[in-house]
Amino acid sequence: MVGATLFHRRKHSWPPEEFISRNTLQLLDFDSAAPPPHAWRRRLNCHANILKEFSITFREAVKMVRLGIRLWSYVREEASHGRKAPIDPFTKENCKPSASQGVPLGGMGSGSISRGFRGEFKQWQIIPGTCDTSPMMSNQFSIFITRDGAHKKYASVLAPGQHGSLGKSRDKGISSWGWNLNGQHSTYHALFPRAWTIYDGEPDPELKISCRQISPFIPNNYRDSSLPAAVFVYTLVNTGKERAKVSLLFTWANSIGGTSHMSGGHVNEPFIGEDGVSGVLLHHKTGKGNPPVTFAISACETQNVNVTVLPCFGLSEDSSFTAKDMWEKMEKDGKFDQENFNSGPSTPSAAGDTICAAVSASTWVEAHGRCTVSFALSWSSPKVKFSKGSSYDRRYTKFYGTSPRAALDLVHDALTHYKRWEEDIEAWQNPILRDDRLPEWYKFTLFNELYFLVAGGTVWIDSASLQPNGNSQHQQSDLGNSDGNGTGVNIKDQQNNVDNCDSNGIKSNGKASVTHKRNGLFVDTWYVDDGDDVGRFLYLEGVEYLMWCTYDVHFYASYALLMLFPKIELNIQRDFAKAVLSEDGRKVKFLAEGNWGIRKVRGAVPHDLGMHDPWSEMNAYNIHDTSKWKDLNPKFVLQVYRDFAATGDYQFGIDVWPAVRAAMEYMEQFDRDNDDLIENDGFPDQTYDAWTVHGVSAYCGCLWLAALQAAAAMALQIGDKFFAELCKNKFLNAKAAMEAKLWNGSYFNYDSGASGNSKSIQADQLAGQWYAASSGLPPIFEESKIRSTLQKIFDFNVMKTKGGKMGAVNGMHPDGKVDETCMQSREIWTGVTYAAAATMILSGMEEQGFTTAEGIFTAGWSEEGFGYWFQTPEGWTMDGHYRSLIYMRPLAIWGMQWALTLPKAILDAPKINMMDRVDLSPRSRRFNHNFKVVKHKAKCFGNSALSCSC
């Protein structure tokens, strides 16, 4: 736990007073208009530098040339079928990434749109697996101000005008707008899921403006957190001596990013809704057979605010009403014609033309008076369709239906409910923000790293669309093929295994066994009570690595879901539990070596849930054969036990226990010398998939030891005592073997081989201990060895890397030189650094832990850093060049928060004594040893009858 005064002497502070005048802060100090005391801040005129991508060395290129050729061929083959390859390093975005990102819009899983800190709408991810980074510069907020007597007028887009895309042909028309904002006195303040933009006398020196962006990301709210909507609340404070007429304008293109607005067939339609909510629906006809999308832009009319609309204007000179005409109309009148509401749907746009819509909200602000104007944006894409044909209903359709006009209901509810959203968000965040023991950078970075759960390509679907009588267009017949001819998925064997006591040592005669019989290839959620039905959830490894729920990375990121949306986390584990017990015999070519294997081996935890047909076609990753990886199965067991212990959900434990046993049994094949410790196989057979491991490794060995502890603890609570004894015996033998082979007196060597990096100090070597401590399990090693190892990592991997200002480098030689064996050994991985910091905190080394993590903030988020805010990459090199932006693993910062606030369920969990064991013969120590099954009742599971091994 954090000491009361530990960080006082080194606390960093970015008070709002350094960015906004105190007088302005006082004027805005009502209705949440002022930015919070703790937030990430930038001035709008801040330079957004182009980010630099990593490059490989000549030696690395030589090693990977065959892989590169095979990968290039695979990318071309997938493209010939109209599909993206999950990893494609050859195709680059036209819009180079820059240090311009901000808080994304909307809830989780319904498509996302990001908004840069200078106001541009960008990073379009409406269609699963696609991300168009280019901003739509016609999508803007603008302001028109006229003082009494019309002797003062101001008109400006509320974004700085120095954007490279202005003036280009595809933006023809908007260059005529007033791009008059300098940004010198305008600032951005981010605290996900909200953001504030303060215009402190820009463009009118006598008008203070606050724009508050709000999205419905609310922990444990499984309804509103799925909504594709955002609200923009403008607070206007007139400091002048005369009243001012202020018109705010919201413009939006009928586009889902890229050049989609040019494809034709798009229609705009005005609407007047209930409670003063009115605006325009933009019906977008998507290409390539993707489901249509409908946007709604709206404002809320009140006694003091008048809302008008322009349903359609174009960006070319050939348009009947151009962008220039629109701007001149607003400059002249400050509003549009009221009869525009009666215009009906527009004529479908022609190919090559871009149509936009505008909503204006006008009000008078009295001298020294205040006024609030609210806008909302929603996007309704009720169907999510994957590239191999399966389609499902998104989660929000459970509450809003599948009609395109749901966009209207979404903006209505957003405008009428956003204050409740904010109350819930503040109730969640304030205990952390007000904890004076914590450094300020940590407080807002903790929340801001959650951007990934919105902008990381998340998909959240309604369980009802998975049912046989639901709306899913998924081909159920493919799932049930057990003859080896179709998908190669042997469902029959899988179900026999689930129900067979002799194979699994446990069977529930109640609800759990029924559940397994009902489901096909994957675990579905319609069998649970409706209150527990939270749908199915997917998120990408990253926007450059297009694989759903990549499990070796979810190991690090899952703390965020467990703490904030535990039902989603349990459902992801259920998906993988069922996947463990399945097999997919389709042949796959693995690109690293060019060898062939099958897509999914029974007993192996899949690398991911797929890409083009998730849940049904798993393991989109095809660089290596991940059925031979040594970290996936232990990570599954560790995550399952942590979640089981933290939630106290015993039904979950029963449901997944057969998969836990199968995952442990599967690993026994990798114990080559019968010392109960697994060995690596001389290739990169773990999450560091370019970093070769020989023999016993610190990383995988530690994960295996922790998994043995977790499996033993879970077995005891489930009632499988014999399996618990097996794991205890194996743990003690494996621990002795690992310490004998790797412990060198101050840390664990990278591996037991004889290569030049076998004695390297790996930053992630105690990942298993991280999970053991996080789950209330005993330390894997003696405390002195754990602290010695962590101190070594801190002294070398952290402090010898630019003085601790960049995070922990993955590999460091004991002489203090970076391990340059491969690109991954010399990289600093953001999520691994956060994980190492969490391990230090759990071991009572709080100061070292926060210093370690602060390096990621300094390099990635601070103004002196490299510009990776709201796009935190997998890692960067020593010179700050990134690899894989917008990546899942940095969510591991929530592992630090878990360490600081261990749940009571973990602290009070039954403690297992790994030293208290029954000696077993070498033969009986095998997981697959035959044993007798005896039934008994377990009180903690109510009326469930459990079969336990004795």
Side-chain angles (χ1 to χ4, degrees):
M1 302 299 291
V2 180
T5 60
L6 179 59
F7 300 110
H8 282 178
R9 65 180 176 83
R10 52 187 300 274
K11 177 179 177 182
H12 293 311
S13 181
W14 294 266
E17 292 85 355
E18 292 184 5
F19 293 78
I20 308 168
S21 68
R22 290 183 180 272
N23 181 54
T24 299
L25 286 171
Q26 292 172 355
L27 291 170
L28 294 174
D29 188 21
F30 75 101
D31 193 30
S32 301
H38 309 289
W40 179 90
R41 313 184 198 277
R42 285 295 179 276
R43 299 190 186 279
L44 264 59
N45 66 346
C46 177
H47 175 64
N49 57 290
I50 300 298
L51 305 180
K52 296 180 180 180
E53 191 172 10
F54 84 108
S55 59
I56 59 175
T57 65
F58 176 76
R59 185 178 65 176
E60 291 165 352
V62 170
K63 287 182 178 179
M64 293 192 289
V65 63
R66 291 184 177 87
L67 167 61
I69 293 171
R70 296 187 194 105
L71 182 57
W72 181 72
S73 298
Y74 174 68
V75 169
R76 291 188 61 191
E77 179 186 352
E78 288 295 285
S80 70
H81 296 292
R83 299 190 296 263
K84 283 187 173 184
I87 301 174
D88 178 7
F90 309 105
T91 305
K92 301 298 181 183
E93 292 285 345
N94 293 327
C95 180
K96 293 183 178 180
S98 63
S100 59
Q101 295 285 47
V103 174
L105 306 174
M108 300 188 296
S110 296
S112 70
I113 306 164
S114 290
R115 192 173 184 224
F117 73 86
R118 297 187 301 190
E120 65 273 26
F121 293 88
K122 57 198 296 185
Q123 210 80 26
W124 301 78
Q125 297 188 79
I126 306 297
I127 297 172
T130 65
C131 179
D132 192 283
T133 60
S134 303
M136 287 296 301
M137 294 307 298
S138 54
N139 296 359
Q140 296 289 347
F141 284 100
S142 303
I143 194 166
F144 302 83
I145 307 163
T146 303
R147 293 282 173 179
D148 245 356
H151 64 279
K152 291 181 182 178
K153 283 190 172 184
Y154 303 90
S156 180
V157 178
L158 287 174
Q162 61 268 29
H163 292 282
S165 56
L166 285 180
K168 293 185 178 180
S169 59
R170 69 188 182 96
D171 292 312
K172 194 170 185 179
I174 67 170
S175 58
S176 63
W177 296 356
W179 299 87
N180 302 317
L181 196 78
N182 175 275
Q184 181 179 358
H185 301 293
S186 300
T187 52
Y188 181 83
H189 311 257
L191 186 66
F192 179 90
R194 297 190 292 173
W196 291 254
T197 305
I198 307 299
Y199 306 89
D200 194 358
E202 286 190 281
D204 182 349
E206 295 180 329
L207 188 69
K208 311 299 183 183
I209 308 167
S210 166
C211 173
R212 190 163 83 259
Q213 173 187 312
I214 309 152
S215 292
F217 183 97
I218 305 164
N220 291 306
N221 184 331
Y222 296 91
R223 181 190 187 279
D224 291 358
S225 296
S226 72
L227 304 185
V231 176
F232 306 89
V233 181
Y234 279 85
T235 301
L236 311 171
V237 180
N238 184 2
T239 62
K241 297 179 180 179
E242 51 199 4
R243 70 173 184 162
K245 181 183 179 182
V246 180
S247 296
L248 286 159
L249 177 71
F250 188 16
T251 52
W252 197 262
N254 196 322
S255 173
I256 57 172
T259 59
S260 61
H261 48 287
M262 309 282 284
S263 59
H266 313 310
V267 174
N268 293 354
E269 175 187 5
F271 70 86
I272 298 178
E274 298 177 350
D275 300 314
V277 175
S278 54
V280 182
L281 296 172
L282 298 89
H283 305 288
H284 185 83
K285 182 181 179 182
T286 57
K288 300 180 180 179
N290 287 303
V293 181
T294 296
F295 293 93
I297 57 172
S298 65
C300 190
E301 183 155 323
T302 66
Q303 185 176 358
N304 301 317
V305 178
N306 175 242
V307 177
T308 56
V309 300
L310 180 62
C312 197
F313 69 90
L315 296 185
S316 68
E317 293 180 354
D318 298 330
S319 303
S320 59
F321 202 90
T322 67
K324 184 177 181 181
D325 296 333
M326 184 276 301
W327 190 265
E328 291 175 347
K329 173 72 172 174
M330 286 298 299
E331 281 190 305
K332 178 184 176 184
D333 300 333
K335 62 180 181 179
F336 301 114
D337 298 334
Q338 194 69 29
E339 55 265 29
N340 287 349
F341 281 112
N342 302 320
S343 62
S346 66
T347 302
S349 64
D353 289 344
T354 301
I355 60 171
C356 306
V359 174
S360 169
S362 304
T363 187
W364 283 95
V365 186
E366 299 297 327
H368 305 292
R370 301 168 175 173
C371 186
T372 298
V373 180
S374 300
F375 293 87
L377 166 70
S378 72
W379 52 99
S380 178
S381 180
K383 289 283 185 185
V384 55
K385 181 180 178 183
F386 296 100
S387 56
K388 288 195 174 179
S390 297
S391 65
Y392 308 93
D393 294 339
R394 294 190 191 266
R395 166 73 174 172
Y396 78 90
T397 64
K398 180 180 179 71
F399 318 106
Y400 287 85
T402 58
S403 167
R405 302 188 72 82
L408 192 160
D409 296 327
L410 284 161
V411 289
H412 171 272
D413 288 358
L415 286 168
T416 55
H417 294 164
Y418 75 83
K419 289 186 178 180
R420 176 173 56 80
W421 293 350
E422 289 194 285
E423 289 174 0
D424 292 343
I425 291 167
E426 289 173 2
W428 157 48
Q429 293 183 335
N430 281 343
I432 295 172
L433 297 175
R434 293 172 180 172
D435 189 342
D436 291 334
R437 299 170 301 170
L438 300 173
E440 186 174 357
W441 68 264
Y442 170 78
K443 295 178 185 180
F444 58 76
T445 307
L446 178 72
F447 293 113
N448 285 336
E449 287 285 18
L450 290 171
Y451 84 93
F452 186 83
L453 289 176
V454 172
T458 53
V459 170
W460 195 356
I461 65 174
D462 179 22
S463 298
S465 65
L466 292 161
Q467 298 186 51
N469 60 348
N471 297 320
S472 171
Q473 297 176 17
H474 185 78
Q475 300 300 312
Q476 296 289 345
S477 60
D478 288 346
L479 299 181
N481 190 326
S482 60
D483 60 7
N485 295 323
T487 64
V489 179
N490 194 330
I491 303 300
K492 182 177 179 181
D493 288 349
Q494 169 197 331
Q495 290 181 337
N496 286 343
N497 181 74
V498 171
D499 296 330
N500 189 331
C501 306
D502 293 334
S503 297
N504 292 294
I506 183 167
K507 174 181 175 183
S508 169
N509 293 330
K511 185 176 178 181
S513 61
V514 174
T515 298
H516 287 299
K517 289 175 182 177
R518 287 180 63 178
N519 299 336
L521 174 61
F522 47 77
V523 174
D524 295 316
T525 54
W526 66 80
Y527 68 90
V528 298
D529 294 337
D530 189 65
D532 292 327
D533 177 10
V534 299
R536 302 284 291 283
F537 190 84
L538 299 168
Y539 65 145
L540 291 173
E541 179 178 337
V543 297
E544 298 178 38
Y545 295 162
L546 303 177
M547 294 159 283
W548 299 111
C549 295
T550 300
Y551 200 73
D552 56 306
V553 185
H554 180 68
F555 174 79
Y556 298 84
S558 58
Y559 284 89
L561 286 174
L562 179 59
M563 294 189 77
L564 306 178
F565 298 95
K567 292 180 181 179
I568 289 178
E569 166 63 11
L570 293 187
N571 278 355
I572 291 175
Q573 300 302 348
R574 287 187 176 100
D575 283 345
F576 277 92
K578 201 59 176 283
V580 169
L581 302 174
S582 71
E583 185 159 299
D584 186 340
R586 286 172 287 186
K587 295 294 184 180
V588 174
K589 184 177 182 179
F590 300 112
L591 304 180
E593 300 296 334
N595 57 314
W596 289 80
I598 67 172
R599 178 172 291 278
K600 169 66 178 68
V601 176
R602 189 199 175 280
V605 173
H607 173 274
D608 54 80
L609 292 178
M611 176 186 175
H612 302 303
D613 196 5
W615 298 298
S616 301
E617 186 180 271
M618 293 172 283
N619 281 333
Y621 178 91
N622 61 350
I623 303 297
H624 299 289
D625 181 355
T626 58
S627 69
K628 298 177 181 177
W629 277 19
K630 311 307 184 293
D631 64 335
L632 288 168
N633 283 40
K635 285 176 175 176
F636 170 72
V637 175
L638 288 168
Q639 288 182 72
V640 163
Y641 179 73
R642 178 203 59 189
D643 298 351
F644 171 68
T647 63
D649 190 332
Y650 287 97
Q651 185 62 52
F652 167 75
I654 294 171
D655 291 344
V656 301
W657 178 245
V660 172
R661 283 207 54 160
M664 294 298 289
E665 291 166 1
Y666 182 86
M667 292 301 293
E668 203 160 43
Q669 64 183 297
F670 302 120
D671 175 14
R672 314 295 188 190
D673 53 5
N674 295 320
D675 61 357
D676 293 325
L677 181 63
I678 61 171
E679 283 86 36
N680 294 80
D681 285 327
F683 75 101
D685 49 358
Q686 23 75 44
T687 194
Y688 299 88
D689 58 351
W691 199 356
T692 298
V693 193
H694 299 276
V696 175
S697 76
Y699 181 66
C700 294
C702 189
L703 288 170
W704 175 241
L705 291 178
L708 287 167
Q709 280 203 138
M714 189 169 182
L716 285 175
Q717 293 180 58
I718 292 291
D720 194 344
K721 295 181 180 179
F722 184 79
F723 195 79
E725 292 301 328
L726 283 174
C727 292
K728 285 183 181 181
N729 275 268
K730 282 182 173 291
F731 170 81
L732 293 174
N733 295 328
K735 175 186 175 182
M738 181 169 172
E739 290 181 334
K741 294 178 179 180
L742 296 183
W743 180 250
N744 62 22
S746 59
Y747 66 95
F748 292 92
N749 291 334
Y750 175 70
D751 65 25
S752 62
S755 63
N757 71 321
S758 289
K759 288 182 168 47
S760 285
I761 309 161
Q762 185 179 11
D764 210 7
Q765 61 184 280
L766 289 182
Q769 171 58 28
W770 173 35
Y771 258 73
S774 294
S775 306
L777 293 169
I780 295 176
F781 308 108
E782 290 79 0
E783 293 281 2
S784 60
K785 290 181 178 177
I786 294 170
R787 291 179 66 91
S788 172
T789 300
L790 291 172
Q791 190 64 50
K792 193 75 172 185
I793 292 168
F794 179 76
D795 291 341
F796 281 71
N797 302 62
V798 177
M799 297 311 295
K800 291 184 182 296
T801 304
K802 306 293 185 181
K805 301 299 184 183
M806 293 189 71
V809 69
N810 282 337
M812 180 74 79
H813 289 295
D815 63 0
K817 295 180 179 178
V818 173
D819 183 345
E820 298 192 356
T821 303
C822 65
M823 67 177 188
Q824 291 177 342
S825 64
R826 60 183 173 89
E827 287 178 330
I828 294 133
W829 283 10
T830 52
V832 167
T833 299
Y834 286 143
T839 312
M840 292 173 185
I841 292 169
L842 287 163
S843 298
M845 301 169 65
E846 293 95 343
E847 185 161 9
Q848 293 94 324
F850 277 96
T851 300
T852 295
E854 189 178 357
I856 300 301
F857 169 79
T858 301
W861 288 83
S862 75
E863 200 158 6
E864 303 79 40
F866 302 109
Y868 295 130
W869 44 81
F870 300 103
Q871 52 189 331
T872 317
E874 159 75 306
W876 46 68
T877 58
M878 297 291 284
D879 51 8
H881 296 183
Y882 73 88
R883 182 167 64 82
S884 187
L885 293 171
I886 310 182
Y887 196 77
M888 181 197 294
R889 205 181 318 248
L891 284 171
I893 192 173
W894 280 85
M896 295 177 64
Q897 189 61 21
W898 181 271
L900 292 166
T901 57
L902 281 176
K904 188 174 186 298
I906 293 293
L907 296 173
D908 295 345
K911 298 298 185 281
I912 183 171
N913 183 356
M914 297 300 292
M915 304 303 294
D916 180 16
R917 61 168 177 167
V918 176
D919 289 325
L920 301 173
S921 67
R923 177 175 176 271
S924 63
R925 285 209 314 267
R926 307 297 292 178
F927 279 140
N928 58 4
H929 175 67
N930 293 323
F931 52 86
K932 181 180 177 182
V933 176
V934 177
K935 295 182 180 179
H936 76 281
K937 296 277 187 176
K939 294 180 181 179
C940 60
F941 300 109
N943 295 324
S944 297
L946 305 180
S947 301
C948 298
S949 315
C950 297

